[in-house]
Amino acid sequence: MEQQLEDLQKQANKELAEVSDASALEAWRVLYIGRKGKLPELLRGVKDLGDEEKRVIGKAANILKRTLEEAYSVKQESFIASAPNKLMKALPAGRQVQANEASVGHLHPITLTIERVQNIFAAMGFIIADGPEVEEARYNFDALNIPSDHPARGEGDTFMIDPKSVSGEQDVVLRTQTSPMQIRSVETMRLTPPFYVIAPGRVYLREKVDATHESTFYQFEGLGIGEDITIADFKGVIAAFFSTFFQKDVTVRLRPSYFPFVEPGFEVDMSCVFCAQKGCRVCKYTGWIEVMGAGMVHPNVLKNMNIDPTKYQGFAFGGAIDRLTMIRHGINDIRMFWSGDIRFLRQFSNCHSGPRAGIHVDAGSSPA
Ligand code: PHE
């Protein structure tokens, strides 16, 4: 029996050396280590041997099995490396793929939403503005009418940057919202009314992470200032946005709310896009889904923009990119976005963000 194993090994090695393509390799696998191959056939004989022999031969046979399987993988990998464009059997479950299939990437679902949001607002005449994630506290809070004793400014909610790591005297934070982009964009672009700005970007909160909260997430800020811009204008713009985003007729409703940088302020709900407002689990049987905070820009904030509040007025809004993405695609756990799980990400390979539009402006940088 030992001799038989040795012969088998020699023969298998010799033939494997001559294998030069994937189908020959598959034939070799079936012949030697496949379920009905030569090695399993030999192994079936082991049970008829005496105890001592069973132990020795059994061990040798198992070593041979592993050696042949390893030789098979090495050969298989050499094909993958040397023939990137040939059809081959290389993936689990014998799935046939083009070797170059793996190298074709696509955009992350969050990036797709950011672009979709930008494109829709840009088509309505909004300028797209980019700004820093490491932000001066005066933009993130003070200029937005948020006093220094406001609870949101505490270390419990905000990631503080060590002042020693940045030059200058001012307090620096990871921005907790995209709202600092309101004043930043007006300043850096020297905007004078009327103007419309959209500023999507990443923000940070010291949150306990769960299925609906992340400490790192994305918002989009909107700002529209002019002589006679009213809440009715805001309602029209935002209903047009959601209708285009979801490709459905969406209506919005405003509920009174409070944000220090707007007066009046409101929460914005959109009509449920899943049940035509009949009531379903997504809208918790209310027919409405809460989607953003908004309001008419506070006179103090207009002053901080160097805009005369007796002459001009307008709206500001802030929405959550992650949430829109989750609603649009029926994703129920926000942590998926950072999971790096290729099985999750691959599902968005055919999504697109709509026709490209707009002017993109770099509106400021982090304190250095
Ligand atoms: N910045 C607010 C938030 O993060 C949203 C908001 C933006 C509210 C603009 C009003 C106006 O919740």
Side-chain angles (χ1 to χ4, degrees):
M1 189 116 179
E2 259 185 292
Q3 188 58 46
Q4 275 176 307
L5 280 175
E6 223 169 89
D7 289 349
L8 185 71
Q9 177 161 22
K10 274 196 200 130
Q11 202 189 345
N13 281 340
K14 189 166 147 265
E15 277 186 30
L16 186 63
E18 285 159 14
V19 162
S20 63
D21 62 33
S23 62
L25 179 63
E26 177 60 9
W28 179 91
R29 188 190 65 79
V30 171
L31 182 64
Y32 288 100
I33 50 179
R35 210 156 40 85
K36 294 184 178 155
K38 292 187 177 205
L39 183 62
E41 192 188 310
L42 255 183
L43 284 171
R44 274 190 282 277
V46 171
K47 67 176 187 321
D48 303 325
L49 301 171
D51 275 356
E52 177 57 18
E53 225 182 351
K54 205 189 266 178
R55 206 177 53 77
V56 178
I57 299 287
K59 196 170 167 198
N62 274 323
I63 292 175
L64 178 57
K65 183 161 176 263
R66 243 178 291 140
T67 314
L68 292 185
E69 280 169 356
E70 220 169 278
Y72 169 78
S73 320
V74 169
K75 192 80 177 183
Q76 192 180 43
E77 266 160 35
S78 75
F79 288 152
I80 301 169
S82 67
N85 283 312
K86 271 195 204 150
L87 204 63
M88 60 186 178
K89 284 192 172 138
L91 286 188
R95 184 176 154 238
Q96 301 233 348
V97 291
Q98 289 281 347
N100 59 3
E101 183 188 311
S103 63
V104 179
H106 58 85
L107 295 179
H108 190 280
I110 291 285
T111 313
L112 285 165
T113 303
I114 291 176
E115 295 198 344
R116 197 172 171 82
V117 167
Q118 282 174 182
N119 290 337
I120 296 169
F121 280 107
M124 291 195 273
F126 284 64
I127 301 168
I128 305 160
D130 275 331
E133 293 167 23
V134 177
E135 182 59 285
E136 294 172 36
R138 71 186 165 100
Y139 284 116
N140 196 85
F141 298 121
D142 301 276
L144 286 167
N145 212 25
I146 305 174
S148 49
D149 58 357
H150 192 282
R153 295 185 67 150
E155 285 190 19
D157 290 309
T158 306
F159 289 107
M160 308 290 187
I161 301 291
D162 181 356
K164 287 199 283 297
S165 68
V166 281
S167 59
E169 294 297 293
Q170 80 277 46
D171 287 341
V172 176
V173 299
L174 290 185
R175 67 176 173 191
T176 61
Q177 49 185 353
T178 43
S179 299
M181 287 307 290
Q182 293 181 23
I183 292 142
R184 255 193 190 279
S185 12
V186 176
E187 262 184 27
T188 41
M189 292 188 261
R190 296 174 211 268
L191 299 174
T192 49
F195 60 77
Y196 298 87
V197 177
I198 188 81
R202 193 186 288 171
V203 302
Y204 305 83
L205 276 183
R206 277 189 74 170
E207 294 238 65
K208 210 162 166 281
V209 174
D210 62 25
T212 51
H213 298 89
E214 255 293 355
S215 55
T216 303
F217 57 106
Y218 295 80
Q219 289 186 336
F220 57 104
E221 194 76 12
L223 181 68
I225 307 284
E227 266 180 49
D228 47 13
I229 292 181
T230 66
I231 298 177
D233 293 307
F234 168 70
K235 248 189 129 172
V237 164
I238 224 63
F241 164 71
F242 283 117
S243 298
T244 314
F245 187 92
F246 287 106
Q247 298 281 291
K248 292 219 166 103
D249 257 334
V250 173
T251 52
V252 294
R253 78 172 179 189
L254 310 181
R255 281 179 292 117
S257 183
Y258 175 72
F259 302 94
F261 35 96
V262 287
E263 180 56 37
F266 22 83
E267 300 287 341
V268 182
D269 297 339
M270 69 169 189
S271 53
C272 182
V273 286
F274 295 101
C275 64
Q277 294 197 284
K278 289 195 186 71
C280 67
R281 271 176 49 204
V282 179
C283 63
K284 300 195 187 89
Y285 300 94
T286 64
W288 296 98
I289 304 179
E290 190 179 320
V291 276
M292 54 167 64
M296 296 301 281
V297 179
H298 195 287
N300 290 350
V301 177
L302 285 171
K303 276 188 216 147
N304 293 335
M305 293 170 178
N306 254 331
I307 292 175
D308 182 354
T310 62
K311 244 174 111 185
Y312 299 106
Q313 60 181 36
F315 56 76
F317 57 85
I321 296 276
D322 307 67
R323 192 157 151 69
L324 280 192
T325 314
M326 291 169 79
I327 296 171
R328 178 162 183 235
H329 298 292
I331 299 163
N332 55 16
D333 194 324
I334 195 172
R335 292 167 290 197
M336 293 306 293
F337 293 132
W338 289 100
S339 67
D341 187 334
I342 204 80
R343 294 165 304 179
F344 168 71
L345 296 171
R346 277 268 168 85
Q347 298 177 50
F348 302 92
S349 60
N350 290 324
C351 294
H352 61 90
S353 45
R356 273 188 189 275
I359 317 168
H360 218 118
V361 180
D362 191 352
S365 51
S366 301

